[in-house]
Amino acid sequence: MSTAALLRRSLSWPSTLRSRISMILLVGLAIAYGLSFSVLYLERYMSAKAVMLGTLESDVATSIAVLDRLPADERAGFVDWLSRGNYHFELGPGLPGVPDTSGHGAEIAAKIEDAVGHRFPIRIESIPGPISRLQAHLNLSDGSPLTIDVTPKGIMPIASWLPYVFVVQMLVIVLCTWFAVRLAIRPLAEFAAAADALDPNKKGEALSDRGPSEVAHAAKAFNAMRDRIAHYLEERVQILAAISHDLQTPITRMRLRADIADESPEKTKLLQDLGEIERLVQDGIAYARSAHGNGEKSSRIDLASFIESICYDYQDTGKSVEILGLIQGTVATKPHALRRILTNFIDNALKFAGAAEISVERRDTGDVVITVLDRGPGIPPDQIESAMQPFFRLEQSRNRNTGGTGLGLAIAQQLAQTLGGSVRLYNRDGGGLAAEVAIA
């Protein structure tokens, strides 16, 4: 990466809204505070300068008039008395210097000339040295040389406690900025957390609508949206359940009529079609029931015996279902829902691989994980997430014997949520699929 690109990247906006608002507030307050300090400093400098020049004019005028009227032999006794903090008088030509052409020197010269009423020619020179000094040279009425040594002073020195006040002010600014940003960002964080925890199938707590009117309005709108989503989903499931349930009666009548019909290839095909429709209807009803948790209550079961009974049921029908590992102990769960999840996994494994293996383990977190494994073709990685969606079939043929209804995994996922668990699919090393359900 080039230096210019690195510079642009370093100067880019922060990624979080909290950082951006904090930067805007801190930079804005720092600039405003800097401008205020600069204006105050300039005003203080100009005031001190005006006081110094005004005092210089009035005092010098008086002092020169006194020295001019005193006898030459008495002037030395008054020189120290007439001197001030930023200037003093010297009887004599003073120190050699260089002509002063600065604006500050011109102002001082103008004030001194105004002070003496232009009666004495004045020459202003700058004296080289570590301290800025000016000397005004003039001759009194009797021709005696007089030097006015001026040490220009700026504003008064800054008090020793002022830096501490500045630090306290900056800390107050930072604290207020943090509080303001936190107050502005907190509703967004609450909205994000509520959106992440949104589950239309569960009745959760409504988002608090306390706070400013804008936040309260947004919270009410979010709660209303969640209720609408839950209503739409419930309505969709109810429609699916009603259609599936109502289809059972005509399917039964059609099957009865087909059974009393004469034997023929058409009768066989008709019965096969009716069987496929009946399986689709049954899966639709099962999916609708799983969306509402099927109303089953939790009970404590012996997990090893439970898994063995499922495995033996398949083995009794000649299916290849084996147990790789079990754990001893009991778990609190919904037995019928868990059985439906595992039978869906096993049916898929038998359909695509001809055999299934069951493994049970307990994680360090205390969760129990039941995994059904096969050595079938697996699922393309980019379709694993889609495979959990309703009516999604990996095989896009219309043959229900191979393609299925596409509801088995969706039913398993919804039933796992009613158990307080989760479902995960992943491809095995060496080929095959692993379908696991984790329950607390």
Side-chain angles (χ1 to χ4, degrees), residues 134-207:
L134 297 174
Q135 284 191 348
H137 306 282
L138 58 94
N139 292 322
L140 297 176
S141 300
D142 60 358
S144 301
L146 178 65
T147 300
I148 307 172
D149 191 296
V150 182
T151 304
K153 291 184 178 181
I155 62 174
M156 292 180 290
I158 297 177
S160 59
W161 48 263
L162 192 59
Y164 299 101
V165 174
F166 177 77
V167 172
V168 171
Q169 288 177 329
M170 293 305 298
L171 290 176
V172 170
I173 290 176
V174 172
L175 182 63
C176 292
T177 300
W178 172 83
F179 181 74
V181 171
R182 181 176 180 272
L183 197 63
I185 298 299
R186 185 170 57 183
L188 294 179
E190 293 176 353
F191 282 136
D196 289 337
L198 179 63
D199 187 355
N201 295 320
K202 296 181 181 179
K203 186 65 176 178
E205 293 185 3
L207 188 63

Side-chain angles (χ1 to χ4, degrees), residues 15 23 47 86 139 171 202 265 315 341-342 395:
S15 59
M23 177 181 291
S47 298
N86 61 332
N139 292 322
L171 290 176
K202 296 181 181 179
Q315 292 176 353
I341 294 171
L342 296 178
E395 183 180 336

Side-chain angles (χ1 to χ4, degrees), residues 69-86:
R69 286 173 172 76
L70 286 173
D73 56 349
E74 296 181 8
R75 291 172 182 168
F78 286 85
V79 167
D80 292 336
W81 181 71
L82 295 173
S83 298
R84 296 291 182 267
N86 61 332

Side-chain angles (χ1 to χ4, degrees), residues 41 44-54 56 83-88 104-105 107-108 131-134 149-157:
Y41 183 89
R44 187 176 181 182
Y45 171 79
M46 295 177 65
S47 298
K49 180 180 176 182
V51 171
M52 183 194 73
L53 293 178
L56 180 68
S83 298
R84 296 291 182 267
N86 61 332
Y87 68 91
H88 65 273
H104 196 43
E107 288 181 326
I108 294 176
I131 301 176
S132 176
R133 294 171 59 193
L134 297 174
D149 191 296
V150 182
T151 304
K153 291 184 178 181
I155 62 174
M156 292 180 290

Side-chain angles (χ1 to χ4, degrees), residues 348-349 371-379 384 394 409 425-428 431-435:
N348 282 339
T371 309
V372 177
L373 307 104
D374 65 56
R375 286 298 180 184
I379 300 177
I384 288 180
L394 292 172
L409 293 177
L425 301 178
Y426 59 92
N427 290 311
R428 301 176 63 187
L433 184 70

Side-chain angles (χ1 to χ4, degrees), residues 243-257 274 277:
I243 293 175
S244 300
H245 182 272
D246 292 344
L247 283 174
Q248 287 183 312
T249 300
I251 291 173
T252 302
R253 289 199 302 264
M254 293 172 65
R255 179 176 290 278
L256 291 175
R257 292 170 183 170
L274 289 174
I277 297 174

Side-chain angles (χ1 to χ4, degrees), residues 183-184 186-187 208-220:
L183 197 63
R186 185 170 57 183
S208 175
D209 57 0
R210 292 178 299 177
S213 58
E214 295 85 358
V215 174
H217 179 71
K220 292 177 181 177

